[in-house]
Amino acid sequence: MCKHKNSGLLRVFVYGTLKPGEAYYECYCSNKIINSTKAYVRGELYALPQGYPAMTQGSNLVYGYLLLFANNEVLNNLDQLEDYHPQKSMSENLYNRKEVEVFDLENNSLGVAWVYFMSFDQISQLKGTPQFDGWWSAQGKSIS
């Protein structure tokens, strides 16, 4: 379980519909969140025509938020939303979850957090388009 040093908090980096102001934030996060910090991770971001983003591993910056939760059960709900099933092989999941290092906007490490990745093959099948600025929003606004 991805926890901050002795804090007992669940740490999840979100870059799409789970960000504050996006479609699933209210339902899955808002009343369970302890803290939210604008942040980035390394990866490649894609917008999918289905109305949500995906990211792969990579070296570009993907912007979003580091969310802290007191209750680890939140992760089960997020796994269901993201169609991630730990007992299945990676190719059977829509997204796969792994721990990555997260940075604040001043390039300071915030430690590790869970993030949901999609394979490049799945992104290609879903006709994803690269988001070179590293920011996705259903409203099209930027991180600044």
Side-chain angles (χ1 to χ4, degrees):
M1 195 62 52
C2 190
K3 297 179 182 179
H4 193 261
K5 306 166 192 140
N6 301 322
S7 71
L9 297 178
L10 172 67
R11 300 160 52 81
V12 181
F13 176 80
V14 297
Y15 56 89
T17 60
L18 290 166
K19 293 186 310 193
E22 296 294 347
Y24 291 124
Y25 178 77
E26 287 299 317
C27 179
Y28 287 87
C29 303
S30 70
N31 62 346
K32 300 167 187 76
I33 195 168
I34 301 286
N35 190 31
S36 164
T37 304
K38 285 183 180 177
Y40 71 85
V41 298
R42 295 277 177 191
E44 308 296 330
L45 184 66
Y46 297 84
L48 303 176
Q50 294 79 2
Y52 54 90
M55 72 176 280
T56 62
Q57 294 181 5
S59 59
N60 287 329
L61 304 185
V62 175
Y63 295 96
Y65 290 83
L66 174 61
L67 304 182
L68 304 182
F69 300 94
N71 185 342
N72 287 330
E73 287 302 309
V74 169
L75 202 55
N76 293 332
N77 294 331
L78 297 180
D79 285 350
Q80 287 180 351
L81 174 67
E82 304 293 5
D83 196 15
Y84 170 68
H85 308 278
Q87 71 281 8
K88 289 186 177 180
S89 70
M90 291 178 72
S91 63
E92 292 179 290
N93 289 319
L94 180 61
Y95 287 90
N96 287 287
R97 175 169 46 86
K98 74 177 281 184
E99 292 175 308
V100 299
E101 188 170 10
V102 181
F103 299 88
D104 68 16
L105 299 184
E106 287 76 45
N107 301 316
N108 300 304
S109 176
L110 298 173
V112 297
W114 291 114
V115 67
Y116 292 91
F117 286 95
M118 189 179 283
S119 74
F120 183 75
D121 289 344
Q122 286 172 302
I123 291 171
S124 293
Q125 289 173 358
L126 295 171
K127 303 195 183 328
T129 56
Q131 301 295 286
F132 295 111
D133 65 355
W135 180 257
W136 179 91
S137 175
Q139 292 83 34
K141 56 189 171 186
S142 78
I143 192 165
S144 49

